[in-house]
């Protein structure tokens, strides 16, 4: 394929978002809008990428660079419309570029295959411009594609729309490929003689139609929707989510209510796993086969291995859970846990940076932080690792088959050997060897007979 240069329009003020941040820095499906657009562009392996920036230029361009690596930024200064933006952008494009893909930075769900189809159609024709259209059930806000016969002759913007064109459902997606010589010749001739007083890039369609046949390809609105308002963002999220959940179901993942979960497109889920209502799976999360995830569980950047059961309302971050383990309900795994196979982590257990070997049980109401727990150990209800002295953190190391009685505290740093038994209510202050009994002697006093004060005469 011939050289491909790309101009991304990313300078707009995002007025309709009513936000202090550029809309391109807001997220859809956990990734910034501009990042998503740049990823689709980068997959085409373009020879050069120019980002036209202005509002929050350094932040927006930083995101562009994160994806593309070698983009060039052109500062539009005061944004004066998409036509003005492309005029400025041309300054960054090589003279050798024959065709230039121009796309708005606010189309987060655009796919590279769709861009590729546009490029191919354009290259197969002798057109000066080709662009992507979409059929919109509710076209309000978009530029309408006006055709004569079957050929596009004009794009009329919403603000300038004549009533006779109000029923047109075919809209401009904001994605075009231009012959560079055409752009160079005609961009300067755009004017601001329109309702918004801006230089509309879309006015070039009329010009191109006079010279050659303008080509179009089409894409679903769900993919090329532009995000200008908060409502558009909500729409884009819903479209993306629908696509993600549908793909998982096609791969054999069950959902009780597919519309009532939230899953990022970075998450993988194995076959025969089942996801209940209100589950949130984010970031770099991998769920194995036959995993059951109960209602309201939130899992971020974690690995959940095969046959695990995550019971309702558990929160798991940056941790891994081994095969056949059961977590929750209401368990909280903060970052850095490595839970082995066949473990049991019950309700109201909080864990941070804990390594658990196979078969460990921590069934109820515990805080375990900075600890290593050997296989088949049992952590009684109410156990606390006292890992923090107000300044530094210390580790607790328990051997295999250690039994920690309920309501015990382990004052770190502390090491307890294999097969040691810690009696109920013990504060473990010093290391204990293998096969020991550790208790803090207490005496029981029984007063009898005794009556509570209110029963005394
Ligand atoms: C634009 C199109 C409209 C199309 C719609 C698709 C024009 C005149 N209209 O309208 O036909 O249906 O996209 O989503 O092009 N930008 C700049 N500099 C500027 C103005 C805008 O870089 O001076 C950037 C914005 O950051 C944005 C993109 O260009 O990423 C499009 O601008 P926006 O204001 O969103 O145009 P729309 O009103 O959506
Ligand atoms: Mg827009």
């Amino acid at each position: 394929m011939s050289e491909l240069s790309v101009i991304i329009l990313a300078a707009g003020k995002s007025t309709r978002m009513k936000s202090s941040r550029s809309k391109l820095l807001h997220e859809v499906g956990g990734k910034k809008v501009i990042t998503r657009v740049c990823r689709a562009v980068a997959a085409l392996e373009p020879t050069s990428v120019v980002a036209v920036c202005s509002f929050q230029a350094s932040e927006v361009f930083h995101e562009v660079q994160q994806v593309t690596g070698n983009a060039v930024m052109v500062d539009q200064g005061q944004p004066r419309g998409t036509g003005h933006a492309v005029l400025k952008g041309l300054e960054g494009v090589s003279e050798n570029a024959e065709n230039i893909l121009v796309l708005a930075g606010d189309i987060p769900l655009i796919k590279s295959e769709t861009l590729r189809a546009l490029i191919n159609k354009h290259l197969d024709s002798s057109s000066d411009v080709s662009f992507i259209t979409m059929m919109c059930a509710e076209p309000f806000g978009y530029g309408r594609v006006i055709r004569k016969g079957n050929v596009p002759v004009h794009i009329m913007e919403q603000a300038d729309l004549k009533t006779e064109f109000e029923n047109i459902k075919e809209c401009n997606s904001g994605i075009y490929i231009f012959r560079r010589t055409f752009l160079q010749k005609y961009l300067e001739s755009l004017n601001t003689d329109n309702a918004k007083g801006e230089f509309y890039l879309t006015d070039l369609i009329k010009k191109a139609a006079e010279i050659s046949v303008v080509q179009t390809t089409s894409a679903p609105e769900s993919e090329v929707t532009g995000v200008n308002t908060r409502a558009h963002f909500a729409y884009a999220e819903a479209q993306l989510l629908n696509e993600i959940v549908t793909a998982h179901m096609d791969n054999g993942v069950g959902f009780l209510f597919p519309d009532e979960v939230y899953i990022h497109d970075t998450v993988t889920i194995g076959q025969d796993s089942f996801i209940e209502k209100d589950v949130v799976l984010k970031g770099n999360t991998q769920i194995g086969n036959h995993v059951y995830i109960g209602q309201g569980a939130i899992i971020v950047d974690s690995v959940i291995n095969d046959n695990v059961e995550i019971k309702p309302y558990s929160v798991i971050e940056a941790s891994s859970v081994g095969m056949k383990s059961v977590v929750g309900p209401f368990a909280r795994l903060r970052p850095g846990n490595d839970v082995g196979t066949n473990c049991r982590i019950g309700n109201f257990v909080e864990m941070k940076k804990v390594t658990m070997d196979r078969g460990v049980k921590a069934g109820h109401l515990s805080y375990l932080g900075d600890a290593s727990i050997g296989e088949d150990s049992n952590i009684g209800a109410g156990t606390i690792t006292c890992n923090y002295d107000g300044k530094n953190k210390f580790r607790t190391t328990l051997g295999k088959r250690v039994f920690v009685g309920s309501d015990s505290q382990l004052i770190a740093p502390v090491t307890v050997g294999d097969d040691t038994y810690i009696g109920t209510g013990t504060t473990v202050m010093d290391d204990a060897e293998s096969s020991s009994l550790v208790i803090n002697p207490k005496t029981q006093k029984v007063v009898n007979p005794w009556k509570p004060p209110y029963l005394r005469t």
Side-chain angles (χ1 to χ4, degrees):
M1 209 183 93
S2 63
E3 288 200 0
L4 176 71
S5 293
V6 183
I7 298 179
I8 301 174
L9 308 183
K13 283 178 289 197
S14 312
T15 318
R16 288 165 281 179
M17 272 297 278
K18 307 216 166 101
S19 169
S20 59
R21 254 181 321 145
S22 163
K23 63 183 173 182
L24 306 184
L25 300 172
H26 285 252
E27 291 184 356
V28 173
K31 286 195 196 87
K32 296 192 171 70
V33 170
I34 190 69
T35 304
R36 286 189 173 277
V37 172
C38 288
R39 282 185 168 210
V41 165
L44 303 171
E45 300 180 349
T47 26
S48 75
V49 176
V50 175
V52 182
C53 302
S54 172
F55 181 47
Q56 298 188 326
S58 59
E59 293 93 325
V60 172
F61 188 62
H62 174 75
E63 301 305 328
V64 174
Q65 278 299 64
Q66 293 285 102
V67 181
T68 60
N70 60 348
V72 173
M73 184 180 97
V74 173
D75 193 334
Q76 193 188 350
Q78 180 65 22
R80 299 173 66 194
T82 47
H84 179 242
V86 175
L87 183 65
K88 287 279 181 182
L90 264 188
E91 292 169 14
V93 176
S94 148
E95 290 283 317
N96 298 328
E98 219 175 297
N99 292 289
I100 305 173
L101 179 72
V102 173
L103 74 167
D106 66 346
I107 308 169
L109 305 185
I110 183 65
K111 292 189 169 84
S112 55
E113 304 92 85
T114 306
L115 297 175
R116 174 74 67 202
L118 172 71
I119 295 166
N120 289 343
K121 182 154 189 189
H122 181 75
L123 294 181
D124 286 348
S125 73
S126 54
S127 298
D128 289 306
V129 55
S130 306
F131 69 104
I132 302 176
T133 74
M134 57 180 158
M135 298 305 291
C136 298
E138 181 37 81
F140 185 88
Y142 287 118
R144 308 302 205 285
V145 178
I146 298 171
R147 291 181 183 260
K148 228 182 209 146
N150 205 20
V151 183
V153 291
H154 189 31
I155 294 174
M156 196 172 280
E157 294 301 315
Q158 176 68 46
D160 303 270
L161 200 63
K162 299 200 175 96
T163 31
E164 60 189 290
F165 298 123
E166 267 171 1
N167 290 331
I168 294 178
K169 305 279 188 207
E170 188 183 21
C171 298
N172 169 30
S173 70
I175 304 167
Y176 326 77
I177 181 162
F178 290 96
R179 195 184 287 279
R180 187 178 55 79
T181 47
F182 171 83
L183 272 183
Q184 247 158 4
K185 189 159 175 197
Y186 292 104
L187 265 178
E188 301 261 16
S189 65
L190 290 177
N191 60 48
T192 57
D193 195 7
N194 54 54
K196 280 184 150 180
E198 290 182 356
F199 293 98
Y200 290 162
L201 180 64
T202 45
D203 282 350
L204 286 183
I205 300 302
K206 196 172 177 188
K207 186 47 86 190
E210 287 165 17
I211 304 168
S212 62
V213 177
V214 174
Q215 305 289 334
T216 57
T217 56
S218 64
E221 183 190 3
S222 56
E223 179 187 341
V224 291
T225 188
V227 287
N228 303 309
T229 64
R230 305 275 179 176
H232 292 158
F233 270 79
Y235 173 81
E237 281 283 6
Q239 298 311 310
L240 179 60
L241 188 60
N242 181 47
E243 194 181 310
I244 291 167
V245 172
T246 303
H248 285 304
M249 289 196 288
D250 288 347
N251 288 336
V253 179
F255 288 85
L256 182 62
F257 295 122
D259 295 337
E260 295 179 41
V261 296
Y262 184 70
I263 301 178
H264 282 169
D265 59 3
T266 39
V267 172
T268 60
I269 311 176
Q271 200 170 312
D272 281 319
S273 287
F274 193 84
I275 316 284
E276 294 265 0
K277 190 173 179 279
D278 295 334
V279 166
V280 174
L281 305 175
K282 288 183 171 178
N284 192 17
T285 289
Q286 297 164 40
I287 311 282
N289 298 323
H290 298 277
V291 171
Y292 171 86
I293 305 183
Q295 178 161 335
I298 300 175
I299 304 177
V300 183
D301 294 329
S302 294
V303 176
I304 310 295
N305 286 290
D306 297 350
N307 297 295
V308 164
E309 184 178 353
I310 307 292
K311 294 194 173 184
Y313 303 106
S314 297
V315 178
I316 302 177
E317 284 171 87
S319 293
S320 74
V321 179
M323 286 190 287
K324 296 186 188 166
S325 289
V326 180
V327 175
F330 299 101
R332 179 170 182 213
L333 273 61
R334 290 164 50 201
N337 299 293
D338 185 0
V339 176
T341 56
N342 269 315
C343 291
R344 297 279 177 279
I345 297 164
N347 35 222
F348 307 108
V349 173
E350 176 184 347
M351 294 175 38
K352 185 215 69 170
K353 290 190 184 159
V354 174
T355 302
M356 272 185 182
D357 290 343
R358 62 170 60 232
V360 171
K361 294 192 182 75
H364 334 263
L365 298 156
S366 289
Y367 171 64
L368 305 172
D370 302 304
S372 305
I373 305 174
E375 65 184 50
D376 293 327
S377 291
N378 186 89
I379 308 295
T383 297
I384 294 173
T385 53
C386 308
N387 59 332
Y388 184 51
D389 65 2
K391 192 157 184 233
N392 297 306
K393 302 270 169 66
F394 302 95
R395 279 198 86 72
T396 297
T397 305
L398 305 184
K400 299 173 186 169
R401 296 172 300 279
V402 172
F403 181 93
V404 182
S406 302
D407 193 28
S408 294
Q409 303 88 44
L410 298 141
I411 302 182
V414 68
T415 299
V416 175
D418 297 348
D419 299 298
T420 282
Y421 194 104
I422 296 167
T424 295
T426 300
T427 302
V428 182
M429 292 170 255
D430 297 310
D431 292 355
E433 288 171 11
S434 297
S435 304
S436 315
L437 170 68
V438 185
I439 49 170
N440 301 145
K442 290 174 191 165
T443 52
Q444 177 171 307
K445 185 174 169 189
V446 179
V447 178
N448 189 329
W450 182 83
K451 282 181 182 170
Y454 52 84
L455 293 180
R456 293 176 200 157
T457 48

